[in-house]
Amino acid sequence: GENVEQHPSTLSVQEGDSAVIKCTYSDSASNYFPWYKQELGKRPQLIIDIRSNVGEKKDQRIAVTLNKTAKHFSLHITETQPEDSAVYFCAASTYSTLTFGKGTMLLVSP
Amino acid sequence: DGGITQSPKYLFRKEGQNVTLSCEQNLNHDAMYWYRQDPGQGLRLIYYSQIVNDFQKGDIAEGYSVSREKKESFPLTVTSAQKNPTAFYLCASAPGTRDYGYTFGSGTRLTVV
């Protein structure tokens, strides 16, 4: 089955810095790659996604890049703010389900 | 207001008890999922359903059971066979089963007492 590896597990940045979270996947048949943000005690929420026919997608301060040849995709957050502090999960779509990475705890210090 | 509702928010189970977690959606989504979340483990798939009266096991189905009698509802039963049930349980739904993002419920935190 699909295996998704996510790094780093924890990331601490200063407000205004950029943050990058990286994921790799194993199944070349995966075609859809969403990213979720989960604040403490709350539900994961979809923040951005990318499909395999696109190499990069941006939404304001958030961008995702995909390299299908290398089977990796990344989340980029620019001009980080304290409210960006949360756990971020990447996922890969394989046939009927999403396989999630183990998450990255992002801490943004004022 | 469309969404996916899980209840209860907190649940306590005694040893040897079966408990049922509720998940209801009014998004007219075909697919529904149950995930378990443990610290440092990410989200692990328990069961999923693509259509009414049909469901498939996920990666950690042992000790759990589900039913899908209505499109809107996908309850999860944690049986006494599940030896380590303390976790945060998330229900999700999606319009279909291939290449769709999920909408998650707010979760149920189950604790064994």
Side-chain angles (χ1 to χ4, degrees), chain B residues 62-111:
Chain B
E62 185 175 351
Y64 300 98
S65 66
V66 293
S67 62
R68 186 88 185 275
E69 297 177 0
K70 300 186 299 181
K71 185 176 183 177
E72 301 79 18
S73 179
F74 191 41
L76 173 74
T77 296
V78 184
T79 75
S80 57
Q82 171 49 239
K83 298 306 179 187
N84 185 22
T86 296
F88 189 53
Y89 290 87
L90 285 161
C91 180
S93 68
T97 54
R98 177 69 169 164
D99 298 347
Y100 287 99
Y102 295 169
T103 299
F104 282 92
S106 56
T108 293
R109 188 165 298 279
L110 173 63
T111 304

Side-chain angles (χ1 to χ4, degrees), chain A residues 29 31-32 36 38 41-44 46 51 89 93-102, chain B residues 4 33 35 37 40-43 45 48 50 88 90 97-102 104-106:
Chain A
N31 285 320
Y32 174 69
Y36 288 84
Q38 186 179 29
K42 297 190 175 181
R43 74 186 78 192
L46 179 68
R51 299 183 187 275
F89 293 97
S93 176
T94 308
Y95 307 108
S96 303
T97 64
L98 290 177
T99 300
F100 289 85
K102 291 189 176 181
Chain B
I4 181 166
Y33 307 83
Y35 283 84
Q37 186 173 26
Q41 294 291 321
L43 283 70
L45 181 64
Y48 66 101
Q50 302 177 46
F88 189 53
L90 285 161
T97 54
R98 177 69 169 164
D99 298 347
Y100 287 99
Y102 295 169
F104 282 92
S106 56

